[in-house]
Amino acid sequence: MTEKDKEMVVTPWEVSGDIDYDKLIEQFGVQPMTADLAERIAKHAGGMHLQLRRGVYLSHRDLDWWLGEYEKGRRVGLYTGRGPSGHVHLGHLLPWLFCKYLQDAFDADLYFQMTDDEKFLHNDELTLEQAVSYTYDNALDVIACGLDPEKTFIFSDTDHIGEIYRLGLKVAKRVTFSTVKAVFGFQDSTNIGMIWYPALQAMTCFLQSVREGENIPCLIPAAIDQDNYWRMTRDIAEKMGYYKPAQIHAKFLPGLAQGGKMSASQPDTAIFTTDPPRKAAQKVMRAFTGGRDTVEEQKRLGGKPEVCNVYAYYYFLFEEDDDELLERERLCRSGGIMCGECKRRLADRVKVFLTGFQEKRERARDVLCDYLMK
Ligand code: TRP
């Protein structure tokens, strides 16, 4: 069986196979993203983010409502998170960079949950101490995305449990074992920590409302694999006196190898923010492309950007300019550029990006405390 024929699996803990986004929209019962919604966001932001222009966000739930509340003059909030099980790679940065754009556009507080508990419970190899230390390591990446320290509240489930336990309990009391079995596929053999954990991921949707003593509409930018949590949360939100959280769902950034998303478990095919820029450039040079077997064939038939990971990186992250991107696609299809050259240019951009990002990441150490929830 080839990678392409593999059945699609999209859960909070596994993403594999050939991803069919239309099917996901149907299966998960979410709304497709529209040009009109993207325009509305862009209007408030004073510009359309690259990720919106390029269709990174495929679907949503209640985004129209969340925007409508803001348009009525109400305060709105944002929530996203990270399972700290290792170093951060470029795929993780996509929604965080987008959060920065939304934070600025909507003057919104962002609650950022570090689920060191979840990763410890789920991953047999990871010790709790490692997960907690990745919380603070990964927080540097979050900060390096340029978020506002006055409006960003990063917290660790384990270290901040005192502040979040009560709200977690109020969620937990309303969710039965049979619900989480159905939503997450938990089995009798699943450890009981995992069975409790969804209460904590859900409660963050209401955390700002509780802390501020007023109901604040919450929007969650995240990859679509987290959807199970929000289905569960949306069922209980109104019964608890809160709004249902709105979502905007991102596609996955492909890895450098053929097929599949960028994944930390395949380090050679993922670019980590902590990779020495030279090493990251070498990974790019080994990436899967949409090139032909020989130079002669490529000149004659042209490349296939639609299956090319190098093109995907320009598309999602490294080519801001829409005209330049089109020109690159045209050149590729017409056989006017070879993969080696295209990779070399991308490798240069990745090096420049990482060098700048790593400087910001180092500076983040001095201000980490300003970003932690108090
Ligand atoms: N469960 C997520 C992960 O493993 C972490 C997370 C917690 C999250 N809350 C979130 C991700 C909200 C997106 C949005 O990565």
Side-chain angles (χ1 to χ4, degrees), residues 66-102:
W66 186 86
L67 286 167
E69 292 300 297
Y70 176 79
E71 285 158 4
K72 282 186 220 154
R74 295 197 52 193
R75 284 185 65 198
V76 290
L78 295 165
Y79 161 33
T80 197
R82 154 83 181 145
S85 54
H87 288 299
V88 163
H89 61 59
L90 295 183
H92 300 128
L93 294 185
L94 284 186
W96 306 349
L97 293 166
F98 194 63
C99 279
K100 147 83 182 150
Y101 164 82
L102 292 178

Side-chain angles (χ1 to χ4, degrees), residues 99-292:
C99 279
K100 147 83 182 150
Y101 164 82
L102 292 178
Q103 178 173 69
D104 290 348
F106 295 93
D107 195 23
D109 285 357
L110 167 68
Y111 279 76
F112 197 106
Q113 179 176 32
M114 291 290 186
T115 62
D116 33 24
D117 52 349
E118 177 194 22
K119 291 295 132 170
F120 164 66
L121 290 164
H122 177 67
N123 186 332
D124 285 340
E125 266 90 67
L126 196 69
T127 68
L128 187 52
E129 290 65 31
Q130 283 168 330
V132 173
S133 93
Y134 278 128
T135 283
Y136 295 100
D137 169 89
N138 292 181
L140 302 177
D141 294 284
V142 174
I143 296 168
C145 288
L147 294 156
D148 180 346
E150 302 283 321
K151 295 183 170 298
T152 304
F153 302 85
I154 302 176
F155 65 96
S156 139
D157 282 349
T158 59
D159 277 342
H160 286 80
I161 192 65
E163 282 99 301
I164 59 181
Y165 192 49
R166 288 186 182 186
L167 187 54
L169 284 174
K170 290 178 190 172
V171 169
K173 195 173 180 180
R174 291 182 183 268
V175 181
T176 65
F177 185 34
S178 70
T179 296
V180 289
K181 274 203 281 195
V183 173
F184 296 97
F186 292 152
Q187 314 268 319
D188 283 355
S189 58
T190 305
N191 74 59
I192 60 172
M194 286 301 288
I195 293 160
W196 142 259
Y197 167 74
L200 280 192
Q201 182 148 335
M203 71 82 212
T204 314
C205 300
F206 317 131
L207 191 56
Q208 185 184 8
S209 297
V210 169
R211 279 167 48 101
E212 301 199 14
E214 102 181 60
N215 238 342
I216 299 174
C218 169
L219 174 71
I220 308 168
I224 192 163
D225 59 340
Q226 297 296 308
D227 192 66
N228 306 49
Y229 289 108
W230 320 132
R231 273 182 305 208
M232 183 195 99
T233 314
R234 288 168 61 86
D235 268 357
I236 54 160
E238 284 171 338
K239 287 178 223 150
M240 290 182 64
Y242 304 110
Y243 297 122
K244 291 182 179 182
Q247 286 99 56
I248 177 163
H249 297 118
K251 292 183 187 169
F252 307 105
L253 185 69
L256 295 169
Q258 183 176 13
K261 67 161 190 166
M262 187 171 271
S263 163
S265 56
Q266 291 166 289
D268 282 345
T269 70
I271 296 172
F272 294 94
T273 59
T274 46
D275 277 345
R278 251 197 46 232
K279 183 169 165 206
Q282 284 163 1
K283 289 184 186 178
V284 172
M285 292 311 292
R286 289 195 297 265
F288 173 78
T289 69
R292 306 282 171 177

Side-chain angles (χ1 to χ4, degrees), residues 1 20 35 39 52-53 55-56 84 93 115 162 167-168 190 212 218 220 240 252 264 277 290 299 303 315 330 339 351:
M1 205 158 70
D20 178 340
E39 280 299 337
L52 280 177
R53 291 201 310 271
V56 171
L93 294 185
T115 62
L167 187 54
T190 305
E212 301 199 14
C218 169
I220 308 168
M240 290 182 64
F252 307 105
K299 283 191 175 149
Y315 187 88
R330 193 195 60 74
C339 296
K351 269 197 280 189

